[in-house]
Amino acid sequence: GDSVTQMEGPVTLSEEAFLTINCTYTATGYPSLFWYVQYPGEGLQLLLKATKADDKGSNKGFEATYRKETTSFHLEKGSVQVSDSAVYFCALNTGNQFYFGTGTSLTVIP
Amino acid sequence: ETGVTQTPRHLVMGMTNKKSLKCEQHLGHNAMYWYKQSAKKPLELMFVYNFKEQTENNSVPSRFSPECPNSSHLFLHLHTLQPEDSALYLCASSQAEQGVGETQYFGPGTRLLVL
């Protein structure tokens, strides 16, 4: 069935380090792909999305490219900040249902 | 108010209590959702309402009872809960019928503790 798999956490990085959080998906058809972020004590916030193959979503210095050939949507940021500490969720929408990954916790230390 | 709001933000209740969670969306959407988020578990979809009609109920125990009086408001009525029901309850909304372009927007959640 349709699903999303993202890398296990937690991830701990020093400030200004490069971030990659891997996400792969299984889906029939042509889903849309999303990254959501959840800061402590809050709900999920949409970070970025891509609706078709080769699209790049970007926001707040984060980027992810919809790769159909590798069924991936990896999240990247060139230089993380302490304020990026949060849990990141990859998700897909098949048009009938949303599927969320299990979340990857990121801690950025000064 | 903008986006999706939820009240209360925190709730402590005994197993014999009855309480309700409220969600309101200010985005003009026509679909609303309840999710349960427990520690170290994937996000669990509980209920879906499209155009005020319940379209999905993912085998949720009857001690959880949803209500959607209109497309902007969603309630989750709680009664005789168990300690394992303690979790963060998230409400979301979206504009249905957009197919794969549909995006869900979440509220801040209600942190529920059942004693």
Side-chain angles (χ1 to χ4, degrees):
Chain A
D2 300 328
S3 66
V4 173
T5 302
Q6 61 181 105
M7 64 185 284
E8 295 271 338
V11 174
T12 302
L13 294 174
S14 297
E15 205 165 22
E16 299 184 0
F18 184 85
L19 169 71
T20 300
I21 300 178
N22 290 338
C23 172
T24 58
Y25 68 91
T26 301
T28 54
Y30 303 94
S32 289
L33 300 170
F34 305 81
W35 278 101
Y36 284 84
V37 58
Q38 185 176 30
Y39 298 103
E42 299 184 14
L44 276 67
Q45 300 177 24
L46 178 66
L47 181 59
L48 53 84
K49 73 176 188 181
T51 57
K52 61 182 187 295
D54 299 324
D55 267 3
K56 177 186 285 188
S58 61
N59 186 22
K60 299 181 181 179
F62 291 90
E63 293 183 339
T65 300
Y66 188 161
R67 302 283 189 201
K68 188 166 174 59
E69 64 275 14
T70 54
T71 62
S72 65
F73 193 56
H74 303 323
L75 182 68
E76 297 182 335
K77 186 174 185 182
S79 176
V80 292
Q81 306 300 311
V82 172
S83 56
D84 294 326
S85 298
V87 180
Y88 292 82
F89 292 88
C90 186
L92 72 85
N93 177 12
T94 63
N96 292 317
Q97 191 165 339
F98 274 80
Y99 297 86
F100 287 86
T102 52
T104 301
S105 175
L106 169 67
T107 300
V108 180
I109 54 177
Chain B
E1 291 279 14
T2 59
V4 180
T5 58
Q6 291 185 243
T7 54
R9 293 293 310 274
H10 301 274
L11 179 62
V12 179
M13 58 187 290
M15 288 190 286
T16 58
N17 292 158
K18 290 185 180 181
K19 297 286 185 184
S20 295
L21 310 185
K22 178 183 176 182
C23 175
E24 184 173 0
Q25 60 94 2
H26 309 268
L27 300 170
H29 290 162
N30 54 21
M32 298 186 77
Y33 311 78
W34 279 117
Y35 285 89
K36 177 183 179 183
Q37 187 179 34
S38 305
K40 303 190 187 304
K41 293 179 69 176
L43 208 58
E44 299 174 49
L45 178 63
M46 301 175 71
F47 300 105
V48 180
Y49 278 83
N50 275 336
F51 297 95
K52 302 186 299 177
E53 298 296 322
Q54 184 174 310
T55 59
E56 193 155 343
N57 173 349
N58 284 344
S59 303
V60 179
S62 60
R63 56 186 184 270
F64 295 91
S65 174
E67 178 190 1
C68 189
N70 55 60
S71 58
S72 298
H73 294 86
L74 183 64
F75 295 88
L76 187 62
H77 303 299
L78 315 171
H79 63 98
T80 59
L81 294 191
Q82 304 299 309
E84 60 265 29
D85 297 322
S86 299
L88 181 68
Y89 289 84
L90 293 165
C91 174
S93 72
S94 69
Q95 186 62 27
E97 299 186 337
Q98 288 188 334
V100 295
E102 181 180 340
T103 301
Q104 290 192 4
Y105 294 87
F106 285 80
T110 295
R111 175 69 63 184
L112 173 66
L113 177 61
V114 181
L115 300 176

